[in-house]
Amino acid sequence: MPSSSSAAPSTPATVLPADALAELWRGAGMPASALAQLALSGADPILPSSFAVGTAAQASLGASALAAAALWQQRTGRWQRVAVDMRHACAEFRSERHLRVDGGPAPELWDRIAGAYRCGDGRWVRLHTNFPHHRDGVLRILGCAWDREAVQTALSGWEAEAFETEASRAGLVVAAMRTFDEWDRHPQALALQGMPAVTLERIGEAPPQPLPALPRGAAPDIARPLSGVRVLDFTRIIAGPVAGRTLAAHGADVLLVTAAHLPAIAPLVIDTGRGKRSCQLDLRDAEDKRTLHRLLHRADVLVQGYRPGGLADLGVGPEAAARARPGIVYASLSAYGHVGPWAGKRGFDSLVQTATGFNHAEAQAAGAEAPRPLPAQVLDHAAGYLLAFGAMAALHRRATEGGSWLVRVSLAQTAQWLRGLGRVPAGMSVPDPGQEEVRDWLETVPSGFGELTVVRHAALLSETPARWTLPSVPLGTHAAEWAPWP
């Protein structure tokens, strides 16, 4: 497999999906015998891209499903088959795009000034303004109105990297577009060089903790790989919520924890809320913090995707969680990684694509001048499945080795991994599939928002089909407590 840190834009060969998945599997210390249970179908290109987007979708989603099967084997002594079709995996990688509410479009995802702009030095920047405080901060720096034309005029007086730096100092989310060569020379890229897409680290001592025994003669909703596993989900937007949604698909009790004062993006709440219960806690409040610690003492997994150090500042960082709950699996997502000068930098998928060279490379492949994004929020979705995979791999190892575990995934490491999968020379020539082309993988389900049309989970498990038994609901619908377990 080409090095994920040094693959050049002209790399012609692509890595086979099975090989990409096997490398993830071995890197997490999972049993090699499980790979015999896997069946992968389809080949790139599926979506219009010069990158192996289908391989990334199939390998990351397949790794998470195979990890669920490995946990089921650990509980029951029996293996089951896992199959992933690449076209279906690509549809699920665009699940928010295919979401429909009551037969019509979902709420708007993007703010009206979000996107790419050419600066005065001829280079491009991308703004992410979907959260009101990010939007207002950008407008304060630019001194202009909330209008695309006004923003473009204001940015014509800036150099791209200077504006990126100024925005970062203010805690905002902006990225200057770089080429792959420029990114490879950047100190952050050098800090991540050679780092795998998923890292597992033992951060505390605890005796081995197998998953709870399945009740004899348990009903199908109980006899699932993650039944009885309790997950605290501190995530927003796409990547982290996809991880929680994936754990819920395999039977985990996932409790989404948000706060009333934090902004959210409506269509993403709807799409990624499937299978979860949702509560609200303000961790600045002493009583709510005590409630969280009561939840934490009975949790198996904590998934977090807030700004680096955000939960640690509130007393819920990985080391504190491991002290409070020995045996915890703490799955942490960041934008640019946990090392290097940008370790504390905020970011989102579209910005990391821009900063790390993908927008430039895709534009070159398409013969375009303006930045061209990947045909999906690929980094978000891949990182989400990789985070779920890492969490389940840590649970698998906890059962035999013991310990508390820290799982780390970042969008930038995911970008490095995607780049290492190689290029697809004819990738831009395939048509972009719309709603009609993915109809076979859609289902209609009730929710707290109305009737939803959503993409079914793309991993097919022969004994425990992945599914969401709880509907998406508005934030804060449930009490901050765990569901009863038999």
Side-chain angles (χ1 to χ4, degrees), residues 77-386:
R78 306 193 308 276
W79 281 107
Q80 58 178 309
R81 296 288 291 166
V82 177
V84 184
D85 176 82
M86 188 180 287
R87 288 187 178 277
H88 192 170
C90 284
E92 195 167 359
F93 253 45
R94 307 207 295 184
S95 61
E96 70 280 358
R97 185 177 300 196
H98 296 300
L99 174 68
R100 300 291 184 270
V101 180
D102 288 331
E108 177 56 45
L109 174 61
W110 293 98
D111 176 67
R112 68 176 182 237
I113 64 167
Y117 297 83
R118 192 189 290 275
C119 291
D121 59 354
R123 298 187 62 185
W124 294 82
V125 293
R126 186 175 295 279
L127 314 183
H128 195 290
T129 55
N130 287 353
F131 286 169
H133 64 291
H134 290 158
R135 175 199 68 208
D136 294 345
V138 164
L139 295 177
R140 274 195 302 273
I141 294 175
L142 294 176
C144 71
W146 184 29
D147 173 80
R148 285 196 68 87
E149 187 174 340
V151 169
Q152 179 60 76
T153 299
L155 282 170
S156 67
W158 284 84
E159 294 181 350
E161 288 195 30
F163 185 70
E164 175 190 68
T165 299
E166 185 66 22
S168 292
R169 285 181 184 145
L172 306 174
V173 280
V174 170
M177 187 173 79
R178 292 171 175 82
T179 66
F180 278 146
D181 286 343
E182 288 170 333
W183 174 247
D184 289 344
R185 294 193 298 270
H186 193 280
Q188 188 59 29
L190 296 173
L192 298 179
Q193 193 168 27
M195 197 172 284
V198 183
T199 62
L200 278 71
E201 177 187 351
R202 186 170 173 147
I203 59 170
E205 294 306 313
Q209 297 178 40
L211 298 188
L214 295 172
R216 185 179 298 275
D221 279 352
I222 298 298
R224 301 172 69 190
L226 294 180
S227 290
V229 172
R230 297 184 174 101
V231 179
L232 283 170
D233 184 347
F234 286 91
T235 66
R236 290 184 294 175
I237 314 303
I238 297 177
V242 162
R245 186 180 72 186
T246 304
L247 298 174
H250 297 296
D253 178 12
V254 179
L255 183 61
L256 176 64
V257 183
T258 61
H261 66 279
L262 295 175
I265 299 177
L268 303 182
V269 171
I270 298 170
D271 181 51
T272 64
R274 286 176 275 160
K276 305 176 186 180
R277 291 180 301 114
S278 175
C279 72
Q280 290 190 328
L281 293 173
D282 187 342
L283 299 188
R284 303 168 301 181
D285 176 81
E287 184 57 38
D288 279 6
K289 187 174 285 190
R290 283 191 288 271
T291 298
L292 171 62
H293 279 278
R294 287 194 294 270
L295 293 169
L296 179 61
H297 289 155
R298 298 178 62 200
D300 296 286
V301 178
L302 187 154
V303 183
Q304 82 84 27
Y306 284 86
R307 66 171 177 80
L311 281 189
D313 292 345
L314 294 167
V316 203
E319 292 77 15
R323 288 192 298 269
R325 199 305 195 191
I328 193 75
V329 171
Y330 197 104
S332 188
L333 172 77
S334 64
Y336 289 99
H338 64 282
V339 297
W342 280 11
K345 187 179 175 70
R346 296 168 171 87
F348 297 98
D349 176 300
S350 58
L351 301 179
V352 177
Q353 286 189 36
T354 302
T356 61
F358 281 90
N359 282 185
H360 178 266
E362 287 281 74
Q364 280 190 319
E369 182 182 5
R372 183 183 176 102
L374 295 167
Q377 302 290 98
V378 175
L379 307 184
D380 264 338
H381 283 272
Y385 291 113
L386 292 175

Side-chain angles (χ1 to χ4, degrees), residues 352-423:
V352 177
Q353 286 189 36
T354 302
T356 61
F358 281 90
N359 282 185
H360 178 266
E362 287 281 74
Q364 280 190 319
E369 182 182 5
R372 183 183 176 102
L374 295 167
Q377 302 290 98
V378 175
L379 307 184
D380 264 338
H381 283 272
Y385 291 113
L386 292 175
L387 196 63
F389 161 64
M392 287 187 275
L395 286 173
H396 193 275
R397 294 180 63 176
R398 184 187 76 167
T400 56
E401 301 174 36
S404 300
W405 293 84
L406 174 59
V407 179
R408 286 193 178 105
V409 171
S410 75
L411 301 181
Q413 285 165 261
T414 303
Q416 184 173 265
W417 174 71
L418 172 62
R419 189 173 161 192
L421 298 178
R423 301 295 288 273

Side-chain angles (χ1 to χ4, degrees), residues 23-45:
E23 182 168 316
L24 293 169
W25 194 255
R26 289 190 296 267
M30 295 294 279
S33 59
L35 294 169
Q37 307 302 322
L38 188 67
L40 304 178
S41 58
D44 276 310

